[in-house]
C-alpha cells in the first residue's frame, strides 16, 4: 500500500472527496470523515477488529493470519488499546490497530531484542496488528489510524512511537519520518510476528511536528493543522476491555 499523496479521493462517489489542505495555510480546519475511529471497549467491537485484522493479514501473510482468527491475550492486557475504524454508513469495520504501552510490561518486540539506552526507561508505545480493508478507502483509513496513534501518544505522555515493519511496508513508516532503532542490524525476526523479519523504527513525539514541517511532508496539514472529531482516543485506562477473550485468560 502507498501513503496518500497531498490529495486523495474517497472510495465511493457517494462520499465527498477528502482533501488535505494546503501546506501554506495557518488556520486549523475541521474535517469530517466517512468513518469513525474509537478504542474498543466491548466484545462485539473486538470481534469486528479481529475480523478485519485477520482479513488484512490473510491477503499478505496467509500462514501467519491463521493465528489471528481469534482475539489475542495482548488485546486485553493493561496498557493496551485496540483501535477500530467503522463506516458511518453501515458500521462495517474498515481498519484496526493495536497500541501497547510499556507502562505495565515491556513492549512485545522486546521479546526479541533489547531496546537501546536512548529508549530504555522511556514511556513508549508500540503499534502492532495494523490492518485495513482492501477497498480503495483503506489507504485513507491507514493514515487516520496513524494519526490516532500519534494523538493517543500525545494524550498519554509517550516519549516515542515504536513500530516494526516487514518489507516493503517498512518504507511507508520511513516516509512518515520514522527512523531505524538499529540501522546496523537491518531486519530482525520477531517472536510476536511469527518470527518474520521486521525493521524496528521509532519517532520521538516531541520531534514529529518539526520533522514533518521541515520536510514539507504532504501529511503535515492532515496530522497537525486539521481537526478530525471522528477520531476518538484519549487517556489510557487499565483493562479497557472488561472481559477475557475466549480461550486466553482472565483479567486480574
Amino acid at each position: 500500500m502507498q501513503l496518500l499523496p497531498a490529495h486523495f479521493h474517497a472510495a465511493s462517489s457517494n462520499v465527498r472527496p477528502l482533501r488535505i489542505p494546503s501546506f501554506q495555510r495557518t488556520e486549523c480546519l475541521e474535517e469530517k470523515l466517512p468513518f469513525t475511529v474509537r478504542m474498543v471497549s466491548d466484545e462485539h467491537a473486538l470481534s469486528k477488529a479481529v475480523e478485519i485484522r485477520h482479513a488484512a493479514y490473510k491477503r499478505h501473510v496467509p500462514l501467519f493470519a491463521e493465528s489471528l482468527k481469534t482475539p489475542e491475550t495482548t488485546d486485553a492486557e493493561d496498557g493496551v488499546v485496540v483501535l477500530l475504524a467503522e463506516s458511518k454508513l453501515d458500521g462495517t469495520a474498515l481498519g484496526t490497530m493495536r497500541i501497547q504501552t510499556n507502562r505495565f510490561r515491556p513492549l512485545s518486540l522486546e521479546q526479541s531484542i533489547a531496546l537501546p539506552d536512548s529508549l530504555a526507561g522511556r514511556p513508549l508505545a508500540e503499534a502492532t496488528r495494523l490492518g485495513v480493508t482492501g477497498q480503495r478507502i483503506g489507504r485513507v483509513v491507514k493514515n487516520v489510524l496513524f494519526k490516532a496513534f500519534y494523538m493517543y501518544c500525545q494524550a498519554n505522555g509517550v516519549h516515542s512511537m515504536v513500530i516494526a515493519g516487514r518489507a516493503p511496508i517498512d518504507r511507508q513508516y520511513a516516509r512518515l519520518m520514522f527512523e531505524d532503532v538499529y540501522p546496523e542490524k537491518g531486519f530482525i525476526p520477531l517472536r510476536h510476528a511469527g518470527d518474520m523479519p521486521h525493521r524496528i523504527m521509532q519517532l520521538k513525539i516531541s520531534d514529529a511536528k518539526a520533522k514533518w514541517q521541515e520536510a514539507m511532508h504532504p501529511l503535515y496539514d492532515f496530522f497537525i493543522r486539521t481537526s478530525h472529531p471522528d477520531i476518538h482516543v484519549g487517556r489510557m485506562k487499565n483493562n479497557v476491555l472488561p472481559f477475557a477473550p475466549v480461550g486466553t485468560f482472565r483479567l486480574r
Side-chain angles (χ1 to χ4, degrees), residues 210-245:
K211 282 189 172 185
W212 293 331
Q213 185 174 27
E214 183 179 354
M216 298 187 67
H217 198 284
L219 291 178
Y220 174 81
D221 278 356
F222 181 73
F223 272 79
I224 304 298
R225 292 178 172 169
T226 306
S227 171
H228 291 103
D230 295 309
I231 301 176
H232 305 286
V233 296
R235 298 282 298 175
M236 183 193 316
K237 296 180 181 179
N238 296 357
N239 296 342
V240 171
L241 300 177
F243 61 91

Side-chain angles (χ1 to χ4, degrees), residues 86-198:
E86 298 168 293
S87 167
K88 288 182 178 178
L89 181 64
D90 58 10
T92 300
L94 299 175
T96 184
M97 172 190 283
R98 186 170 70 207
I99 304 172
Q100 178 199 7
T101 69
N102 62 348
R103 179 177 176 182
F104 298 97
R105 55 182 51 82
L107 301 180
S108 293
L109 62 81
E110 293 185 78
Q111 300 172 29
S112 306
I113 189 170
L115 292 172
D117 292 342
S118 59
L119 294 178
R122 302 278 193 177
L124 306 174
E126 178 185 3
T128 61
R129 301 302 190 252
L130 172 65
V132 299
T133 176
Q135 301 173 16
R136 185 178 179 185
I137 200 171
R139 295 179 296 170
V140 183
V141 174
K142 180 167 57 177
N143 282 310
V144 173
L145 286 170
F146 266 100
K147 178 168 181 175
F149 179 29
Y150 174 66
M151 291 171 60
Y152 182 80
C153 290
Q154 285 184 310
N156 288 283
V158 169
H159 176 273
S160 293
M161 299 181 287
V162 182
I163 198 162
R166 63 185 185 278
I169 297 175
D170 62 302
R171 299 174 190 170
Q172 300 174 16
Y173 307 149
R175 287 195 287 270
L176 277 174
M177 313 297 287
F178 280 77
E179 298 179 346
D180 288 289
V181 172
Y182 285 112
E184 72 282 1
K185 293 183 182 292
F187 289 78
I188 301 168
L190 297 180
R191 288 179 56 191
H192 70 296
D195 288 320
M196 289 184 289
H198 282 65

Side-chain angles (χ1 to χ4, degrees), residues 42-88:
D42 57 66
E43 190 167 3
H44 177 64
L46 180 61
S47 67
K48 294 174 70 174
V50 169
E51 183 177 354
I52 190 72
R53 175 194 295 173
H54 172 256
Y57 274 76
K58 188 176 181 180
R59 293 197 303 270
H60 304 288
V61 282
L63 291 179
F64 180 63
E66 289 299 304
S67 66
L68 302 179
K69 289 182 175 180
T70 58
E72 299 176 281
T73 300
T74 304
D75 290 328
E77 290 180 342
D78 286 342
V80 174
V81 296
V82 177
L83 302 182
L84 175 64
E86 298 168 293
S87 167
K88 288 182 178 178

